[in-house]
Amino acid sequence: MFKAMLMTIFAGAMILGTAGAIEQPMPAAAAAAFKDVSVSHWAYQAINDAVSKGYLKGDGSGKFRPNDPVTRAEFAAILARVSTNENAGGAAAFSDLAGHWSEKEVSEAAGKGFFSPADYTNGFKPGIPLTRVEMAKWMASGLAARDGEYKQAFEDTKDTIVPVTEYYKGGLNKADYPYVSVMLGTGLMSGYPDDSFGGGKTTTRAEVAVIIQRYETTQTKEPKAFKGLNELREVGTTGTNLRTVIPAYQYAEGHELKTILGKDVSLRNNTGKVKIYHYIFMSGLSADQTGSIYGRMFVDEETPFFAETYQVFIDSSVLPGKDGFKDSTYTTGLKYSLHGGSRVFGSSPKIFGYITLPSEGGVDFFKKGEQTRFWSRSSIKRFVKYGESEIQSVFADDGTYGSILMWK
């Protein structure tokens, strides 16, 4: 009798234990035990995480296919699973999805704000590999559907400088600046080692596993939590990243640097006129630690750094007022530290495709009566002693001025 009771209790425990195990999430290591994903794979942990949470799945034959490009249908399904956005409701009607395995999840992703049928009037074409710029647009739109401040970030970055090679060299549509800016600014996506964004390229399933980990966290944060995005927004709205990067400097009330942007600022002796369009500041002290999302765009190992100063890169144009105007005419004619500067060192200008001052001579760089636009490099003080202050101003020919100051 007692033995029978023990056997009954033991059997019940086994049944409950088995049921409990079935209800628990599958361990990550088991979930991602695919034939083609070894423990040494660079995305092994991310793939484990994504599979264990049900965001990504294998192909049914024991393979994950990490190097395959992710398709529109696959990424829409992934976003539908990971997103905590509310579904606005109403089935999204795509003409070519009836009966397709992804029909329900594509509709859900559309309902959560990642895209709409209006984006794909010729059909969703679920099997097409998703381009990186589409991926950027989808994720940025999903963030905007969740938090209206991301939508404001779109507006703020429509005229920003995007720190990828396509900004100057071409290959990135202006309409995509906001989406790429949100991706770069939040760290959801980054450029390639050659500093291009590669908007027309596709993304592998392994890469998506990493990106979706980031999205899971990013969707819980406000835009202001990301310094890089704050920089991109500030440049888009004021022409400079000063307040984000070097908060020790303040603006003189009513005299922000944007006050003088695009206005004539004469050189000494009226040898020519300068127009300034952007200021990009760096707070760091090395090429590896620039303190700015624009670091690689302007700085490399050849760039000199000084402990006493902050670097500033100036986007300006010069209209010479006399024949024989050369780079030395320009540099000796500068009135202020923020008026202009010397050439940008290193390979960054060539890599990103922008113009800087010539390394020497430069007789043919400037021509009388022709405006020449380029980037130059200058600096401002990093420290002031207690009880002292530092003021840097630029006065435009119309009497307006921009002024920054720091004091202790």
Side-chain angles (χ1 to χ4, degrees), residues 161 163 184-185 195 227-232 234-235 240-246 279-299 305 310-313 352 375 382:
I161 296 172
L184 297 176
D195 294 303
K227 180 186 174 185
L229 183 55
N230 293 338
E231 275 191 78
L232 292 163
E234 186 182 1
V235 170
T240 176
N241 63 345
L242 175 72
R243 296 298 299 119
T244 302
V245 173
I246 313 177
Y279 289 104
I280 300 296
F281 292 85
M282 304 281 165
S283 62
L285 288 169
S286 72
D288 296 327
Q289 299 289 332
T290 64
S292 169
I293 196 172
Y294 292 100
R296 287 174 62 88
M297 195 170 190
F298 297 102
V299 166
F305 287 83
Y310 292 113
Q311 304 227 31
V312 54
F313 296 86
F352 282 88
W375 283 91
R382 184 180 287 268

Side-chain angles (χ1 to χ4, degrees), residues 44-68:
Y44 179 77
Q45 292 299 333
I47 293 170
N48 278 350
D49 184 67
V51 171
S52 68
K53 292 176 179 177
Y55 299 153
L56 280 86
K57 303 175 183 178
D59 67 355
S61 70
K63 293 183 178 181
F64 183 76
R65 301 189 183 278
N67 298 322
D68 283 5

Side-chain angles (χ1 to χ4, degrees), residues 191-369:
Y192 286 96
D194 66 355
D195 294 303
S196 67
F197 183 73
K201 294 181 179 179
T202 57
T203 305
T204 66
R205 286 167 52 80
E207 290 169 335
V208 165
V210 175
I211 290 171
I212 215 65
Q213 274 189 319
R214 298 171 188 162
Y215 188 88
E216 189 177 21
T217 301
T218 300
Q219 69 178 337
T220 67
K221 297 180 180 180
E222 298 178 355
K224 65 183 180 181
F226 301 99
K227 180 186 174 185
L229 183 55
N230 293 338
E231 275 191 78
L232 292 163
R233 294 177 72 178
E234 186 182 1
V235 170
T237 55
T238 71
T240 176
N241 63 345
L242 175 72
R243 296 298 299 119
T244 302
V245 173
I246 313 177
Y249 270 96
Q250 304 290 320
Y251 286 121
E253 187 175 355
H255 299 286
E256 295 87 351
L257 288 176
K258 67 179 181 180
T259 303
I260 54 91
L261 297 183
K263 296 182 177 181
D264 285 333
V265 185
S266 291
L267 294 167
R268 285 193 179 94
N269 302 319
N270 292 317
T271 55
K273 294 183 182 295
V274 175
K275 290 183 190 291
I276 301 162
Y277 307 100
H278 295 98
Y279 289 104
I280 300 296
F281 292 85
M282 304 281 165
S283 62
L285 288 169
S286 72
D288 296 327
Q289 299 289 332
T290 64
S292 169
I293 196 172
Y294 292 100
R296 287 174 62 88
M297 195 170 190
F298 297 102
V299 166
D300 68 11
E301 296 300 331
E302 293 185 40
T303 306
F305 287 83
F306 302 96
E308 300 82 13
T309 59
Y310 292 113
Q311 304 227 31
V312 54
F313 296 86
I314 305 171
D315 174 20
S316 61
S317 65
V318 171
L319 182 65
K322 68 172 198 172
D323 292 321
F325 190 103
K326 51 186 180 180
D327 58 336
S328 60
T329 313
Y330 161 70
T331 54
T332 57
L334 296 172
K335 300 176 183 178
Y336 325 102
S337 293
L338 296 177
H339 196 182
S342 58
R343 70 184 179 92
V344 179
F345 286 87
S347 58
S348 294
K350 184 177 180 180
I351 291 172
F352 282 88
Y354 59 83
I355 297 170
T356 189
L357 289 164
S359 57
E360 56 184 56
V363 175
D364 297 327
F365 186 74
F366 296 105
K367 291 182 174 61
K368 182 181 178 180

Side-chain angles (χ1 to χ4, degrees), residues 34-90:
F34 298 108
K35 302 173 186 176
D36 53 355
V37 181
S38 69
V39 293
S40 61
H41 191 282
W42 66 271
Y44 179 77
Q45 292 299 333
I47 293 170
N48 278 350
D49 184 67
V51 171
S52 68
K53 292 176 179 177
Y55 299 153
L56 280 86
K57 303 175 183 178
D59 67 355
S61 70
K63 293 183 178 181
F64 183 76
R65 301 189 183 278
N67 298 322
D68 283 5
V70 71
T71 66
R72 285 178 179 171
E74 287 173 332
F75 197 62
I78 292 165
L79 289 176
R81 295 165 193 160
V82 73
S83 174
T84 55
N85 287 11
E86 290 187 12
N87 192 332

Side-chain angles (χ1 to χ4, degrees), residues 129-145:
L130 189 76
T131 65
R132 279 171 57 84
V133 76
E134 275 185 296
M135 181 176 287
K137 185 175 181 180
W138 285 16
M139 289 195 290
S141 297
L143 292 173

Side-chain angles (χ1 to χ4, degrees), residues 17-25:
T18 303
I22 290 172
E23 291 172 356
Q24 295 301 314

